[in-house]
Structures are given as structure tokens and as C-alpha cells.
Amino acid sequence: MKKNDNVIMNEDVLRLSKEVRCVDPEEGELGIIPSSEALERAYNAGLDLVVVAPNAKPPVAKIMDYGKYKYQQEKKKKEAKKKQTKIDIKEIKFTSKINQHDIDYKVKHALEFLEKGKYVKFRVFLRGREIATPEAGFDVINRVWEMVKDYADRDAAPKLEGNHINMLVTPKKKK
């Protein structure tokens, strides 16, 4: 009886090996026994014989309720997923020829995002000949950093990636 393509269990254990190292939930380690005897013990207990280490010599098989085991694994996965924190990254775009008033306006929004605990990615786009001399873009990014450095920590120094300059900032840790 095969319940999952990746799991070797019950009659399939007989095809895998003549002997298995068997583990019983009540009796503990049974040692190396014939596969047929291990399968018989599992059926008598009303459980499944599942191979947990197929590459071992001889393979290691465990007598267990596979349905219950699978359910518990799914439950653990869901719990782990609940505990994960999702990081929200907001992106704010600039050009290298942006006016100071526009920078102030966009930085004001960035500060609101940082207050809410979101990460902010500042991106300066370079067009045409600006790519050959990205100093103007770095100047914009540095002006933005000077405005937000009291509220945020810089993840890394601004860097040129293709036709844009990126800088990621994270909310400042509360002391």
C-alpha cells in the first residue's frame, strides 16, 4: 500500500531489502530483522511500516501510523509558517535630475513607511548618458540618506546595478 510516491512503506519494503533495521514505538529498537517479520509486526499492531532511511545498510524502517505522522508534519509546517515575519519593502524612485522639493516630498512618504516598520528601497534611475557618469545619481542618494539617517539604518552602501542606483534602509531599532 503506497500512500506517497516519495515514501517506501508496507509491501514496498519487501522489494527494497530482505532485512531492515526495525524501530517499534512500544518496544524501541528491534535490531536487524527480516522485512517480512517487520511487516507482520506492523500489521498486527494495526500500523504501517515506513522506511525512514532507505540508503542505510540495511535500510531503517519504523512502525508507525503514517497518516497521523503526516498530519503532525503538516501541522508543524503551518506553525512554522505562522511564526515567519513577512518583510514589506516599499520602493521610492528618483531620477538624477530631481528637484529638491520633490526629494523632500518623497522622503516624507519614506519616513511614514519607516514609522510603520516597513523597509524602504530608494532607487535612482539613470537614463541615456547619465549611465556613463552616475555621480549625479549618487549625489541624489546621498542627499536622501542625509535626510533619513536619523530614522533608519542603511542596509548597505548605495550601489550601481545596471541603469539604476539602489539603497535599502530599514527602520531604526528602538533602544
Side-chain angles (χ1 to χ4, degrees), residues 92-96 98 103 106-107 122-125 140 144:
I92 297 183
K93 300 175 185 177
F94 302 96
T95 61
S96 60
I98 191 168
I103 292 174
K106 289 185 177 198
V107 167
F122 294 106
R123 179 174 269 192
V124 177
F125 280 89
V140 171
V144 169

Side-chain angles (χ1 to χ4, degrees), residues 3-123:
K3 293 184 181 179
N4 187 341
D5 293 341
N6 299 336
V7 177
I8 301 170
M9 58 191 300
N10 297 337
E11 288 84 17
D12 296 331
V13 176
L14 297 174
R15 285 186 225 118
L16 177 69
S17 176
K18 292 179 182 176
E19 294 181 325
V20 292
R21 183 176 302 275
C22 191
V23 180
D24 190 324
E26 282 89 39
E27 298 175 35
E29 174 119 14
L30 300 175
I32 298 171
I33 60 173
S35 300
S36 56
E37 184 184 331
L39 186 60
E40 191 176 314
R41 283 177 175 261
Y43 282 151
N44 289 340
L47 300 171
D48 299 309
L49 182 66
V50 181
V51 176
V52 291
N55 296 333
K57 298 291 182 209
V60 179
K62 191 172 184 181
I63 298 173
M64 67 170 91
D65 181 354
Y66 184 70
K68 183 178 178 182
Y69 170 76
K70 196 172 174 185
Y71 171 75
Q72 289 171 339
Q73 294 297 351
E74 289 295 320
K75 202 170 173 183
K76 284 181 187 177
K77 274 187 195 174
K78 286 180 184 176
E79 283 297 316
K81 199 172 186 179
K82 283 181 188 176
K83 292 178 184 175
Q84 287 179 343
T85 55
K86 186 175 181 241
I87 298 172
D88 203 8
I89 300 177
K90 295 293 187 177
E91 185 174 301
I92 297 183
K93 300 175 185 177
F94 302 96
T95 61
S96 60
K97 297 178 181 174
I98 191 168
N99 192 334
Q100 183 60 41
H101 172 73
D102 296 330
I103 292 174
D104 295 340
Y105 182 76
K106 289 185 177 198
V107 167
K108 183 178 102 177
H109 287 289
L111 295 176
E112 290 173 10
F113 294 139
L114 289 167
E115 276 181 26
K116 293 178 185 173
K118 299 178 189 290
Y119 289 27
V120 179
K121 183 179 193 175
F122 294 106
R123 179 174 269 192

Side-chain angles (χ1 to χ4, degrees), residues 94 122-124 136-146 154 158 165-167:
F94 302 96
F122 294 106
R123 179 174 269 192
V124 177
F138 280 107
D139 180 48
V140 171
I141 281 280
N142 289 330
R143 282 192 282 163
V144 169
W145 172 243
E146 288 301 317
R154 187 162 40 185
I165 300 167
N166 292 328
M167 178 177 68

